[in-house]
Amino acid sequence: MDTKELYREILNEHNINPSHKEPIDNATLSLNGVNPSCGDNITLHLKLENDVIVDAGFEGDGCAISQASVDMMIDLLIGKTKTEALALAEIFDNMIKGTVTEEQLEQLDEAAALQDISHMPARVKCAMLGWRTMKEMFGLKN
Ligand code: ZN
């Protein structure tokens, strides 16, 4: 299986069998994020304890890329501090811009499957939706 095929498989799996597409108990933060250009609409929920993301989930609808991207993001976020989560968002941004290093890419784990999106400008907003919503939750403007 080549890399492109593997990436497609990862995206499919997160889209068809998302691990985190459900509300969570006692969310600390919940925020709606929309991407009008595609019709993607998600609500992200995070539960924080002492600045660590201990649980997260999402609800909503949208294209396969937007939904898989949020699900993969949540896999990465659970167990991370707010600072670490924002650092990952920066790496994801760099991946989309095509300026990411191999070392950084490894930190994105399965989310690296969205690497090719950098060559598809129309889909970039779909891939960024979850990350953008997360940054906004933490008070960062995009
Ligand atoms: Zn979309």
Side-chain angles (χ1 to χ4, degrees):
M1 193 186 289
D2 69 13
T3 312
K4 271 189 199 307
E5 255 176 83
L6 177 67
Y7 284 173
R8 254 197 308 275
E9 283 291 309
I10 292 172
L11 284 181
N12 271 339
E13 185 56 27
H14 280 277
N15 188 46
I16 297 163
N17 294 312
S19 312
H20 306 289
K21 194 168 183 176
E22 55 194 357
I24 57 169
D25 291 332
N26 306 315
T28 316
L29 298 166
S30 292
L31 188 70
N32 179 242
V34 293
N35 170 24
S37 63
C38 178
D40 308 318
N41 187 328
I42 59 153
T43 300
L44 183 64
H45 305 285
L46 299 184
K47 185 181 179 195
L48 285 121
E49 274 173 16
N50 301 321
D51 219 35
V52 174
I53 300 165
V54 292
D55 199 9
F58 75 103
E59 299 167 273
D61 288 300
C63 67
I65 289 172
S66 69
Q67 305 297 296
S69 182
V70 185
D71 202 56
M72 294 190 291
M73 176 187 79
I74 291 175
D75 271 343
L76 284 169
L77 295 187
I78 294 175
K80 301 290 197 302
T81 64
K82 172 185 161 179
T83 309
E84 289 167 340
L86 292 172
L88 286 169
E90 190 68 36
I91 294 175
F92 192 85
D93 273 3
N94 289 342
M95 180 179 79
I96 298 293
K97 287 182 201 143
T99 61
V100 74
T101 65
E102 279 299 317
E103 212 173 21
Q104 289 178 320
L105 204 55
E106 275 174 28
Q107 294 182 52
L108 290 181
D109 198 17
E110 290 191 330
L114 288 164
Q115 203 177 0
D116 284 350
I117 298 294
S118 57
H119 307 296
M120 296 180 246
R123 311 314 302 275
V124 165
K125 284 182 179 168
C126 304
M128 297 291 297
L129 179 62
W131 293 95
R132 185 164 62 80
T133 306
M134 187 269 288
K135 286 201 281 183
E136 209 177 316
M137 274 175 145
F138 287 131
L140 289 191
K141 282 275 165 224
N142 291 279

